[in-house]
Amino acid sequence: MINHPAGPPAQGLDLDGGSPPRSERSLTPQPARRPSRLRAHPRRARLAVLLAAFVCAACGLVYELELVALGSYLLGDSVTQTSVVLSVMVFAMGLGSLLAKRFTCRPATFFALVECTLALTGGLSVLALYSCWAWTGRYQAAMVGLTCLIGILIGAEIPLLMTLIQRIRREDAGRAAADLFAADYVGALIGGLAFPFLILPAFGPGTGALVTGAVNAVAGAAVVLWLFREEPGPRVRLLLWGCCALVLALLAAAAAGSGAIERAARSALYGTQVRFAAHTRYQEIVLTGPAEGPLRLYRDGRLAVCGPDEYRGSEALVHPAMAAGPDARVLLLGGGDGLALREVLRHGGVRSVLVVDADPALPRLARTDPGLAALSGRSLDDPRVRVAEADPLEWLRGVRPSGRTFDVVLADLPVPADSGTVKFHSQEFYGLATRLLSPGGRFAVRAGGEREELWQVESGLRAAGLRTIPYAVAGGATASCPPGPAEKAAERAAADAEPGQAFLLASAAQPPLGLAPDAPPPRALTADGLRASAARLTALRPARPPAALTLLGPR
């Protein structure tokens, strides 16, 4: 939104005569100023302003994406986080454009102040929000407030830049707006592409935001202060340069201390025994616990593996499916921690296993960390195992069903209640996976607790043409781990109230439910217990099951 129309330059800087314009009624001589540097090379000056707009737009979009990514890491449900950040940001940008109308009388001075404030706020935003999440728990309110402030500052840029463009060379407002918005949109494109492919892999969210803030301060405040140095008086100009230098110093100090801040925050969240912590392109992974156990594996701030309890879910996912027919070729979707894979390899008939997991950091951790490697039985090092680094849905979409089929397909993936995503339990996902089943092949999935999502998952499997049988294993996945600092009391209370973990076994024909003789007896399962849980859940099946989850349907 442009709030300053084309017209004669405002008082304070003259590009034609070297002195401020005088009112027609004023008869008092005005003191002469030295000639403007913009007069000699207006094209270069204009190009410099457009370049500043380009860089500032790129930085603004990076701040936006940093907030979206951090919210998805810490809270899950990326759709909600993206919607909140984008809607608040766009609203705040409009508000910032309106507020900027009051400051177009001195556009260079106020643009420098806006960019210094934006560089400091955006640069520190990730560390500030991560610390707020770790120590106060009021992340959502802080995110909305910080997003609103950043949006106001970004929205104030365009009116001020438009005024600066017109001060260099008066021209039609439409032409000036076209050039300015072209620089702005191309900058946003570059920032949007640089974030996932350059900034996030090279620096991570925290340091990436700090580097972006430094670039913002130099390209925004410094360039404009140098170019329009005649506008502010000597004292104001010195103060503005001092503010820019202070912002860069604060960002550098934050970069130097970011590691200590993250370690302190993680200690507050996960305790002092953090064995491994990393932000990857896909998630935050934290492994805690002493070398002798018990281990805890957190993914995006949620407890995913509790060492003393993980075998219950791993056994329940794997053994019934492996016992219902041939099991030479196995496809494991997810399962990069190697725990479900450990149970697969206990069956004597297994000849090959393909593990498809999007995040290479998790299998690498399962191989290199002594505690997690011991817990998984070093299953990822077995010569029968091959790991494909790919998103399971994308991998299923790209594989040719005529080229390979599997006797058993296991989906060791988070349920919608845990991650907020539905794509791994959608009708489309199940349909793609069903194509890879050999004649008589079986498909086993995690279905969460014995709640509505169990029947939604079953509806998706049945919509893919499979017959299903539900079953459960007693005991929660994290029951033996006492609540840690990272677990909210309400979440742990809900998990403790859950009577067990529910699963679904599916195939083209009604699958039998039992245990195979070619594997050691599971610790948490018996054939009679499986059949009893199946009978109990079948009796609880609603007369009108909920609709299947789809990629385009409601959550």
Side-chain angles (χ1 to χ4, degrees):
M1 176 177 179
I2 296 178
N3 301 284
H4 192 83
Q11 287 189 348
L13 185 64
D14 180 23
L15 304 183
D16 299 319
S19 61
R22 304 179 184 182
S23 171
E24 293 181 358
R25 297 183 180 181
S26 176
L27 300 178
T28 305
Q30 298 292 323
R33 291 190 181 183
R34 57 183 176 176
S36 170
R37 291 172 174 81
L38 301 177
R39 182 180 57 186
H41 302 286
R43 290 186 178 180
R44 294 181 185 178
R46 195 170 183 277
L47 180 61
V49 173
L50 292 176
L51 182 61
F54 168 87
V55 176
C56 291
C59 293
L61 192 62
V62 170
Y63 298 143
E64 200 171 320
L65 295 174
E66 293 277 9
L67 296 177
V68 169
L70 186 67
S72 301
Y73 283 156
L74 302 182
L75 303 181
D77 196 355
S78 59
V79 174
T80 298
Q81 304 311 315
T82 303
S83 300
V84 170
V85 170
L86 292 183
S87 58
V88 172
M89 183 78 73
V90 171
F91 166 76
M93 288 170 63
L95 184 60
S97 293
L98 290 175
L99 294 175
K101 291 193 297 185
R102 297 176 175 271
F103 307 112
T104 53
C105 57
R106 289 187 169 271
T109 300
F110 286 107
F111 185 79
L113 288 174
V114 164
E115 292 309 301
C116 285
T117 307
L118 178 59
L120 187 63
T121 305
L124 296 176
S125 60
V126 172
L127 288 179
L129 288 177
Y130 189 77
S131 299
C132 183
W133 178 69
W135 281 298
T136 70
R138 300 183 180 274
Y139 176 85
Q140 285 282 19
M143 183 187 70
V144 170
L146 198 54
T147 301
C148 189
L149 177 58
I150 293 174
I152 289 174
L153 295 170
I154 293 174
E157 291 175 338
I158 292 295
L160 296 174
L161 284 169
M162 183 64 179
T163 307
L164 293 175
I165 286 284
Q166 293 288 55
R167 287 199 170 187
I168 295 172
R169 185 180 67 199
R170 287 183 293 176
E171 62 180 329
D172 179 72
R175 295 174 61 87
D179 291 341
L180 186 57
F181 278 112
D184 186 81
Y185 294 152
V186 174
L189 170 67
I190 299 302
L193 294 177
F195 176 72
F197 298 113
L198 176 61
I199 296 174
L200 200 57
F203 301 107
T207 304
L210 294 169
V211 172
T212 304
V215 173
N216 197 166
V218 172
V223 168
V224 170
L225 280 176
W226 170 77
L227 194 61
F228 292 87
R229 67 186 75 175
E230 290 87 356
E231 179 185 302
R235 292 183 179 180
V236 175
R237 184 166 61 249
L238 183 62
L239 179 62
L240 292 174
W241 279 112
C243 288
C244 185
L246 179 61
V247 167
L248 292 175
L250 290 174
L251 293 175
S258 61
I261 295 173
E262 286 193 51
R263 287 191 294 272
R266 287 190 178 117
S267 295
L269 282 167
Y270 306 112
T272 58
Q273 295 178 320
V274 176
R275 301 166 60 91
F276 174 86
H279 280 290
T280 73
R281 181 178 176 181
Y282 302 95
Q283 61 190 328
E284 181 189 50
I285 301 174
V286 177
L287 181 66
T288 70
E292 62 276 7
L295 298 179
R296 297 186 186 199
L297 179 65
Y298 294 86
R299 302 175 68 174
D300 288 340
R302 290 175 289 278
L303 183 59
V305 173
C306 172
D309 295 306
E310 61 78 21
Y311 71 91
R312 294 189 178 96
S314 300
E315 290 180 349
L317 174 68
V318 173
H319 289 287
M322 301 291 286
D327 56 8
R329 296 161 298 175
V330 180
L331 172 63
L332 178 57
L333 302 171
D337 52 25
L339 301 175
L341 179 61
R342 176 198 63 205
E343 301 300 324
V344 171
L345 296 176
R346 288 179 175 174
H347 290 259
V350 174
R351 295 293 176 265
S352 66
V353 185
L354 176 60
V355 180
V356 180
D357 198 291
D359 195 346
L362 191 55
R364 188 183 310 121
L365 176 64
R367 288 189 177 103
T368 57
D369 182 84
L372 189 56
L375 187 64
S376 66
R378 300 194 178 277
S379 57
L380 288 164
D381 295 329
D382 192 286
R384 294 171 290 177
V385 175
R386 186 167 66 89
V387 178
E389 297 174 1
D391 179 89
L393 179 59
E394 292 299 319
W395 185 88
L396 289 174
R397 181 68 179 85
V399 70
R400 294 180 178 274
S402 59
R404 63 176 75 183
T405 58
F406 298 91
D407 300 314
V408 180
V409 176
L410 305 169
D412 188 14
L413 299 164
V415 297
D418 292 336
S419 66
T421 182
V422 302
K423 71 175 186 177
F424 294 138
H425 294 277
S426 64
Q427 182 177 336
E428 293 89 343
F429 180 84
Y430 294 143
L432 291 171
T434 301
R435 299 183 308 157
L436 303 183
L437 290 175
S438 62
R442 287 86 60 209
F443 188 13
V445 302
R446 294 182 182 270
E450 300 173 14
R451 295 168 292 188
E452 182 181 5
E453 66 260 20
L454 167 63
W455 310 116
Q456 284 184 314
V457 170
E458 184 179 60
S459 296
L461 290 167
R462 291 189 170 188
L466 301 176
R467 302 185 66 181
T468 61
I469 181 168
Y471 62 97
V473 60
T478 61
S480 297
C481 285
E487 286 83 59
K488 296 179 181 178
E491 293 176 354
R492 286 309 305 266
D496 293 340
E498 190 65 55
Q501 304 173 62
F503 301 81
L504 283 158
L505 179 60
S507 67
Q510 187 66 34
L513 196 59
L515 297 175
D518 65 338
R523 289 178 286 173
L525 300 176
T526 63
D528 291 340
L530 282 173
R531 286 189 282 269
S533 69
R536 177 175 59 83
L537 290 176
T538 300
L540 295 175
R541 181 182 288 123
R544 298 183 62 181
L549 297 169
T550 68
L551 294 178
L552 299 181
R555 287 173 40 184

